[in-house]
Amino acid sequence: MEAHSASHWLFLFIAMLFLSLKLTQCNVTYDRKALIIDGQRKILFSGSIHYPRSTPQMWEGLIQKAKDGGLDAIDTYVFWNLHEPSPGNYNFEGRYDLVQFIKLVQKAGLYVHLRIGPYICGEWNFGGFPVWLKYVPGISFRTDNEPFKQAMQKFTQKIVQMMKDENLFQSQGGPIILSQIENEYEPESKSFGTAGQAYVKWAANIAVGMNTGVPWVMCKEYDAPDPVINTCNGFYCDYFSPNKPYKPTLWTEAWTGWFSDFGGPNYQRPVEDLAFAVARFIQKGGSFVNYYMYHGGTNFGRTAGGPFITTSYDYDAPIDEYGLIRQPKYDHLNELHKAIKLCEEALLTSDPNVIALGSSEQAHVFSSKSGGCAAFLSNYNTRSDARVTFNNVHYDLPSWSISILPDCQNVVFNTAKVGIKASQVQMLPTNVMLQSWETFNEDVYSVEDESPMTVNGLLEQLNITRDTSDYLWYTTSVQISSAESFLHRGKLPTLKVHSAGHGMHVFISGQLSGSAFGTQQNRRFTFSEDINVHPGTNIISILSIAVGLPNIGAHFEEWRTGVLGPVVLRGLDEGQRDLTWQKWSYKVGLKGEANNLGSPDSISSFDWIQGSMAAQKQHPLTWYKALFDAPDGDDPLALDMSSMGKGQVWINGQSIGRYWTASATGNCSECSYVGSFRQTKCHFGCGNPTQQWYHVPRSWLKSTQNLMVVFEETGGDVSKISLVKRLVTNN
């Protein structure tokens, strides 16, 4: 009897275990209307939050705010160059802990769209590719090239296997409902021709062959092979249809704003227009919207791409760079999500009946089999409001707006009617004192002697630095005869240096002669200035500067950086002297970098000099360090770097990123939500530094004796650097 009872209970236990597994595991499929999760069609709102653009201490709060904002899912890229900094050596620690990030999303009860790529663009250094990949023999990126495909497949399979090992796909009971292979390939496809077409088919095949139990997507790829879903990215996607009638209409990047570059403006996308774009997409049959970005975050270290992308990746997102809610964008979108979810059954079980209500006005009416009815009333007119009649009832529609009627009678939401006031943002002093300032100056005179390589001619920068530093020294010498006429009549000769990007400082016999920079629109530039040379030997030292590697464009791995010439000296008695093919010496990086001055673990006996900061204000290539105590409270913190020029900054050995106080130029006139949004609209910040404040994560600080290290390229007043706190008031 006891044996029978034990076997009975064992049978019940196994049955319950099997049932629980069946309840927690389900494949994700799709039809023409939507993704199908556990047998149910769903309308899903998602938001991009990139784990390395914040800190692990911020993740849970960001995810919860996304959930509270009405999101169903979190979307993130996977950052190959962070995870495999050298071939076969992987890093998934700290800010790079992808598994922990996804588990926190799961804990919050949200889904995940994992965009493996592994090309990601994302205004990220080298588009997410590790720089070592460029130097694999015979490689060509993103085409039918065996060395590239082998490396891409190995990394993609590693990520997928990591997810499987942790049971993170929905088919295993995890949160991942979608994965992406490749990224925005369509704009580049013409450059790759038939080899590109073969590559797309190959990428789709390896993705599907990994048997994850969830669909794969390719964004901005019109010929994505079955069963991969092609999806839309853009400011608007209501024009978009998938390439097969049995695939759902998915919007993988609804751009909430735009990224900034040093010297350019900052951008605001009015939430009235963003909500209008989303409602347009849903009424046309869309069922998945991902906001890019929902939280933009920070390009810490040298991770910003472009080139010239700012350290801030705020993106005018509903959650700002510091993790604070931005109103009215956050709440207005939340109300939009609620209104659309009220229409979900009708939207997912019927197709719209489109009724003209006027020359620029329409009704999209959805009638479910159960008798439910939902309507979207739209006014596309950019000049005037409209009064329309629908079902014998009058409705007032502001210009460029959509009203949502979940019961075809009552308006619960209009995209242009915002009932929330804008956030009031203040950057307030913390009264933290930066103390015990010390300095170290780079010795330009010794650069040539310390250069390990000398060759005839000019070399491409990345081939020498391998992106271990932003900086490469090019050094040569010029002999000037005492009989040169300019020595007597006073007209100095002119040095012209042509660069492929991105910036340079020119030193003549150790003295800064001048600087020049390209722009995000045109990275190539020419330095042309009169230089002070004397009879005898003159040393020309050019510090060439990279400001982030390119992240977009066909064959961007072949784009060149650095001083490639010609380099000519004009105004000599001989006319002009071509220095391009002289002997040039090369040195990677700075002495301070070699000695790890940004870290608390750097050599303590290094030649730091104590003294007055006033004498150092305009001294180029200077390192500064100071100590400070953390301020009380938990408000987000930032460094105000407006008194400085250009350089990098570290806190307790963690790189805050590049800073640059280049003034913003743009069209900072009135910003109207009406009419199609483009990057040419709604600029702000003109005349001020594109980025003045630089995020300092609280988790990087100790209570006392925090070390700040600043490297300044051209000169600034470090005594005016201040630690401020960000306070946002939402009424």
Side-chain angles (χ1 to χ4, degrees), residues 590-602:
L590 306 165
K591 191 171 183 179
E593 288 180 306
N595 288 277
N596 200 23
L597 291 193
S599 170
D601 301 324
S602 62

Side-chain angles (χ1 to χ4, degrees), residues 512-567:
L512 180 63
S513 182
S515 305
F517 290 92
T519 64
Q520 210 252 339
Q521 292 73 30
N522 187 7
R523 63 191 185 280
R524 297 177 181 273
F525 65 95
T526 300
F527 171 90
S528 180
E529 290 194 23
D530 295 346
I531 61 171
N532 189 13
V533 289
H534 57 76
T537 302
N538 296 264
I539 304 300
I540 299 177
S541 300
I542 303 171
L543 184 61
S544 181
I545 307 160
V547 192
L549 299 183
N551 55 262
I552 191 170
H555 301 293
F556 68 79
E557 76 275 15
E558 298 176 5
W559 294 6
R560 308 175 83 192
T561 303
V563 180
L564 299 178
V567 178

Side-chain angles (χ1 to χ4, degrees), residues 398-430:
S399 60
W400 201 251
S401 79
I402 292 176
S403 286
I404 299 176
L405 293 65
D407 58 0
C408 286
Q409 293 181 356
N410 298 294
V411 175
V412 299
F413 182 85
N414 177 271
T415 58
K417 294 180 179 180
V418 179
I420 307 100
K421 292 184 178 180
S423 300
Q424 300 300 310
V425 180
Q426 295 175 285
M427 304 302 279
L428 301 175
T430 59

